[in-house]
């Protein structure tokens, strides 16, 4: 029994089952402990951004901590961008980062860097383990800190991992949500009863099944609208769920929607902020005169708090299936002809199977999808919560590991996909049911849009290559096959539909490059 | 004229010619300024680790600052691992990182993170610009700080970039090396004159042409051996240069070599430290009783200081071409048959053209190459200075941009290549003369070696997949073609030689997957 084995036993006892890993020499004692003590399945990613993105996707679907195992500062650095997304998503993640032996680090070996500083940029909880005897406590406290939906990072020096502890005692991770404050619930109820133009703004756990149905009851009781932010972490959608308006991306459209309300109740959601700051545009999208109440801080279960609000409002508890608030089954027709961004969205809504998990990192190509998919068979939507591109492929991989029985469909922008395409290989190795739909517009189109908004159009010959992903064109069919994922290219809706149907029928991963005109 | 244009003018005036970029919305004013003011060629990388690695390779070859343009915290985070390597290499790099508008950041928009904290993990100089009127000064001071071989990072809020300055004055970057202390040179001369078993340990600029020839003169005058660390940043090698012993990777072999000396003069080099800490092994590879003198601190030109040392020793100034210290032309014969790691090294030494730049991130596959290439036609060697894998492909790309007239050959481990393979696309777009040799052993072999050293062998069924890059095999020919780089697979030395000969004859990038047995 050494420190690494104590760590693995603690983690198993906390209910963790998989570990998204890219280990190096400083982690070999943990790797060996994973071998010796059955209970955790480590899974290799070829780049650490795959580990962090997969942990995020897994945590969103499982609602329990995802574990990663990473190698020193550079390994953690490669994972930071997707940890940023995970942090914004409120995903519970427990990281173990191997570090140099404590007596070795002062010599500043070549791989040494400011690991604590780096870890602090994305972690809500972090600790550098100080002795083998504290490993179990540190791991249990780290996992407990992650449970409400945060990133917890434990730095484990390799000498502590290889040393024998003085006791084999294993500490337990513990967390329970705090109860919501009664007064806040009453304030929210009062606001929804008394305001005339009012919205219930949903986030976090309120966008799961129970929360959404409670929100529909509140809407039925009070006449409020239901809103959510532009990038929800995880949201149940489709027929049988209430339709939730999403705040638009650009501040002009967002304020046009939001200025229609004089009161908001936020449940597990932040107040909306413009994605970027623009000249002569607001940063905060609400004005001070718009009244607001927040329920569900990070340590409360906001879905439970929402239930309390429904009770306080004496909202009807009947099933609302026939209410106009609830989306009835409505699937758009399959279009035809050459693929455009809009036709990709409509085709996906027309074709997606019941119970799919849609991982949407489609950016400008997917603008139409949200509304088109409002009434399709029930599905789960995951989006790019932190804006750090390269989230889609890894996150879809993690979602498929969490839900092996569900079809995972990744609606994916090409430029963003290129950040972390290595995770396709893990999909192939683990034979995961993920279908990646590459929206190949061969550009960072959002930057073209922003250049045009700033008045920089036409875009000149020096700037244009910075937004152009052609010259040469990326061949996604070859890239995908290079990682072992069967792939095909589609130019028309008909080709897309045929390829999609085969992908859904065959087990394992597939990739379809959708060439947009 | 706005702040972004002031920035670009300052940078042009400082002599910067290219910018390794992946810009987003917060950088569009800088992008537009690059369009309006001719003088800097921006170059797109599909992932920021490509920008930082290319900047490192470019700076090592050009000995002048490389510029990057990066997008917010996540963009910088993706670049950190290769900045870590660049920091260890002593590469001068000037980063401009666009940030949210100053009045927008307090709203904590989704892409916001602890950018200052992140930048601080790898930068020797950093500043967040406080007003448009200070942009030129900040940029000039940043470039000046980078010049001695450091990473300087300027965070530029987008509102400062789009605002008009009150003056169009452009500040100049300035740097000159400090003179070496005379007393230190005398101490070093005394040590080399009086010690019996002595070594001159070379690093930094002493491994360029002039430094090496001066080192040979010192060796001729004093009988000292010439050593360098396991991962030199840039080193001229081959016939006509003195042979420099490299400290071995593992501490057992390193101390076996180093214990043979009782005195060291370090010139631009750190004292050797074990790459990792192992149980019952030393961290520092020298013992306190071994005498040492250091010449060339970070602000002195260590090559010039070495010249001073040669003068102090009255070292012969004659050409040393016939001295046994200098490698005479000696090219190993081309082997034959199925490729092994050793045969790849011998084949490359046998085939590489004169004046090649060899970017070596071959790890375990390349252990034999250094000695085999000692007497080939003169070439430049760049290695993995910081141990953060994923350096080879980007760094070769940057070296080729710096030296378009030279053949760049990237001897590349497969696992490391997978970290930053997207830079292949930039090689294709820019039609760079880079030939990538993928040493495809389908494993993280160094971790297998380390597991075995730790006694964890045979490696069990849970741990093995964490080191195995097969299942499925990576198809490098398809990955390369997917990014637009012509590619071929070789199983034998004969196939390698034929493919290599074609790659050298044809302009533009090539990739050869060398399947090792």
């Amino acid at each position: 029994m050494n420190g690494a084995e104590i760590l693995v036993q603690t983690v198993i006892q906390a209910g963790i089952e998989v570990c998204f890993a890219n280990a190096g020499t400083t982690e070999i004692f943990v790797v060996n402990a994973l071998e010796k003590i059955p209970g955790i399945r480590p899974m290799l990613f070829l780049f650490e951004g795959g580990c962090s993105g997969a942990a995020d996707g897994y945590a969103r679907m499982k609602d329990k901590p995802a574990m990663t195992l990473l190698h020193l500062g550079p390994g953690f650095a490669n994972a930071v961008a997707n940890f940023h997304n995970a942090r914004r998503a409120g995903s519970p993640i427990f990281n173990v980062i191997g570090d140099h032996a404590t007596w070795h680090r002062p010599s500043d070996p070549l791989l040494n860097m400011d690991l604590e500083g780096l870890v602090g940029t994305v972690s809500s909880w972090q600790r550098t383990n100080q002795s083998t005897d504290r490993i179990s406590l540190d791991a249990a406290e780290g996992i407990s800190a992650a449970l409400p939906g945060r990133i917890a990072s434990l730095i484990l020096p390799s000498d502590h991992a290889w040393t024998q502890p003085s006791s084999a005692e294993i500490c337990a991770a513990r967390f329970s949500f705090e109860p919501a404050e009664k007064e806040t619930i009453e304030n929210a109820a009062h606001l929804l009863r008394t305001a005339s133009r009012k919205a219930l703004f949903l986030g976090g756990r309120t966008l799961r099944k129970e929360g959404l149905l409670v929100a529909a009851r509140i809407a039925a009781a009070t006449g409020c609208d239901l809103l959510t932010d532009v990038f929800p972490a995880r949201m149940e959608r489709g027929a049988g769920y209430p339709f939730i308006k999403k705040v638009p991306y650009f501040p002009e459209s967002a304020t046009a929607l939001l200025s229609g309300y004089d009161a908001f109740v936020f449940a597990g959601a932040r107040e909306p902020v413009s994605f970027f700051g623009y000249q002569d545009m607001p940063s905060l999208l609400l004005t001070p005169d718009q009244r607001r109440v927040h329920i569900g801080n990070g340590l409360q279960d906001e879905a439970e708090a929402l239930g309390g609000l429904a009770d306080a409002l004496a909202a009807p508890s009947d099933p609302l299936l026939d209410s106009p608030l609830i989306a009835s089954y409505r699937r758009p027709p399959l279009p035809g002809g050459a693929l455009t961004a809009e036709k990709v969205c409509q085709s996906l809504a027309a074709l997606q199977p019941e119970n799919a998990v849609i991982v949407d990192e489609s950016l400008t190509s997917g603008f139409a999808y949200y509304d088109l998919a409002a009434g399709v068979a029930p599905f789960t939507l995951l989006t790019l919560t932190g804006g750090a591109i390269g989230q889609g492929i890894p996150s879809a991989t993690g979602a498929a590991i969490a839900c092996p029985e569900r079809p995972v469909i990744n609606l994916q922008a090409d430029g963003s996909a290129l950040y972390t395409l290595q995770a396709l290989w893990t999909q192939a190795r683990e034979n995961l049911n993920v279908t990646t739909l590459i929206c190949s517009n061969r550009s960072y189109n959002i930057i073209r849009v922003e250049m045009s908004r700033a008045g920089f159009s036409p875009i000149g010959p020096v700037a244009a290559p910075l937004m152009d992903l052609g010259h040469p064109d990326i061949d996604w069919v070859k890239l995908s096959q290079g990682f072992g994922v069967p792939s095909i290219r589609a130019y028309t809706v008909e080709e897309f539909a045929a390829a999609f149907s085969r992908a859904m029928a065959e087990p394992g991963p597939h990739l379809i490059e959708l060439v947009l005109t």
Side-chain angles (χ1 to χ4, degrees), chain A residues 214-349:
Chain A
V214 169
R217 290 169 50 207
I218 294 170
T222 66
C224 70
D225 280 353
L226 301 178
L227 303 182
T228 193
D229 213 342
V230 60
F231 292 119
R234 173 181 162 191
M235 180 176 189
E236 301 303 322
R237 297 206 69 208
Y241 288 109
F243 185 73
I244 314 291
K245 272 189 217 165
K246 223 171 55 158
V247 174
Y249 179 84
F250 287 116
E252 301 89 323
S253 321
T255 51
L257 168 70
L258 295 167
S259 64
Y261 302 98
D262 54 19
F264 295 86
V265 170
F266 290 90
R270 299 202 318 154
E271 295 188 15
V273 168
S274 178
F275 200 81
F276 288 111
Y278 302 94
Q279 288 173 279
D280 307 320
M281 300 253 184
S283 185
L284 299 168
L285 300 175
L286 299 189
T287 53
D289 59 309
Q290 292 177 296
R291 287 179 297 159
R292 60 210 72 171
V293 173
H294 287 263
I295 64 174
N297 65 28
L299 297 174
Q300 298 163 348
D301 182 338
E302 53 264 21
E304 198 179 294
L306 201 65
L309 177 59
D311 292 345
L313 288 162
S317 60
D318 299 340
L320 294 161
L321 285 181
D322 294 328
S323 155
L325 291 166
I326 299 291
S328 52
Y329 185 77
R330 178 172 50 83
R331 181 180 280 278
L334 188 68
L339 284 167
T340 61
E342 293 69 23
K343 283 192 206 170
V344 165
C345 295
Q346 187 172 335
S347 300
L348 176 58

Side-chain angles (χ1 to χ4, degrees), chain A residues 93-145:
Chain A
I93 295 180
F94 175 60
N95 301 310
V96 175
I97 307 109
D99 196 6
H100 286 294
T102 50
W103 46 263
H104 189 48
R105 195 169 169 181
S107 304
D108 191 24
L110 288 180
L111 265 167
N112 190 44
M113 62 178 287
D114 177 9
L115 178 55
E116 279 85 2
L118 186 66
V119 164
T121 61
V122 287
S123 304
S124 297
W125 180 98
Q126 76 179 89
R127 187 173 296 168
T128 301
N129 169 260
Q130 298 298 319
S131 82
T132 302
D133 282 348
R134 292 184 62 87
I135 288 176
S136 186
L137 182 68
D138 287 348
E141 291 190 2
I143 296 166
S144 304

Side-chain angles (χ1 to χ4, degrees), chain A residues 194-458:
Chain A
T194 55
S196 56
R197 299 172 304 149
K198 57 217 171 190
L200 177 57
F201 201 111
L202 303 169
R205 276 168 287 267
T206 69
L207 295 169
R208 312 291 164 80
K209 183 172 180 179
E210 279 101 61
L212 288 167
L213 297 180
V214 169
R217 290 169 50 207
I218 294 170
T222 66
C224 70
D225 280 353
L226 301 178
L227 303 182
T228 193
D229 213 342
V230 60
F231 292 119
R234 173 181 162 191
M235 180 176 189
E236 301 303 322
R237 297 206 69 208
Y241 288 109
F243 185 73
I244 314 291
K245 272 189 217 165
K246 223 171 55 158
V247 174
Y249 179 84
F250 287 116
E252 301 89 323
S253 321
T255 51
L257 168 70
L258 295 167
S259 64
Y261 302 98
D262 54 19
F264 295 86
V265 170
F266 290 90
R270 299 202 318 154
E271 295 188 15
V273 168
S274 178
F275 200 81
F276 288 111
Y278 302 94
Q279 288 173 279
D280 307 320
M281 300 253 184
S283 185
L284 299 168
L285 300 175
L286 299 189
T287 53
D289 59 309
Q290 292 177 296
R291 287 179 297 159
R292 60 210 72 171
V293 173
H294 287 263
I295 64 174
N297 65 28
L299 297 174
Q300 298 163 348
D301 182 338
E302 53 264 21
E304 198 179 294
L306 201 65
L309 177 59
D311 292 345
L313 288 162
S317 60
D318 299 340
L320 294 161
L321 285 181
D322 294 328
S323 155
L325 291 166
I326 299 291
S328 52
Y329 185 77
R330 178 172 50 83
R331 181 180 280 278
L334 188 68
L339 284 167
T340 61
E342 293 69 23
K343 283 192 206 170
V344 165
C345 295
Q346 187 172 335
S347 300
L348 176 58
L351 295 169
Q352 68 183 71
E354 184 167 352
N355 205 31
V357 178
I358 305 285
V359 178
D360 180 2
E361 194 189 24
S362 57
L363 307 187
T364 59
S365 296
F367 272 1
Y369 175 70
Y370 187 82
D371 285 348
L372 284 162
V376 305
F379 71 102
T380 302
L381 178 69
L382 311 184
T383 80
L384 178 60
T385 46
I389 61 174
Q391 176 261 1
I393 298 177
S395 180
T397 307
I401 292 163
C403 307
E405 75 295 348
R406 297 180 66 177
V408 176
I409 299 162
N410 175 201
L411 184 64
Q412 181 60 52
D414 54 352
S416 307
L418 287 162
Y419 270 58
T420 48
L421 73 163
Q422 303 94 331
L424 289 172
W425 180 80
T426 306
Q427 294 179 6
R429 171 176 270 196
E430 303 292 338
N431 199 34
L432 301 174
N433 294 320
V434 181
T435 297
T436 304
L437 307 176
I438 299 287
C439 300
S440 185
N441 65 9
R442 298 178 153 82
S443 81
Y444 292 138
N445 193 48
I446 186 73
I447 312 178
R448 288 182 183 279
V449 172
E450 296 280 20
M451 289 283 282
S452 163
R453 284 167 55 87
F456 302 146
S457 66

Side-chain angles (χ1 to χ4, degrees), chain A residues 432-502:
Chain A
L432 301 174
N433 294 320
V434 181
T435 297
T436 304
L437 307 176
I438 299 287
C439 300
S440 185
N441 65 9
R442 298 178 153 82
S443 81
Y444 292 138
N445 193 48
I446 186 73
I447 312 178
R448 288 182 183 279
V449 172
E450 296 280 20
M451 289 283 282
S452 163
R453 284 167 55 87
F456 302 146
S457 66
I459 297 167
V462 177
L466 293 177
M467 290 140 232
D468 168 34
L469 303 180
H471 311 95
D473 283 347
I474 308 284
D475 183 334
W476 275 101
V477 173
K478 283 191 172 151
L479 291 180
S480 183
Q481 290 170 359
F483 285 118
V485 172
S487 56
I488 194 167
R489 185 173 294 119
Y491 295 89
T492 65
V493 170
E494 293 75 10
E495 289 168 357
F496 173 22
F500 189 80
S501 162
R502 280 195 303 276

Side-chain angles (χ1 to χ4, degrees), chain A residues 149-175:
Chain A
R150 299 187 296 203
I151 297 181
S153 298
L154 176 60
I155 297 170
L156 180 60
S158 51
D159 53 335
H160 298 176
W162 74 51
T163 300
Q164 305 264 328
S166 59
S167 141
E169 196 190 334
I170 301 299
C171 302
R174 283 195 187 81
F175 172 76

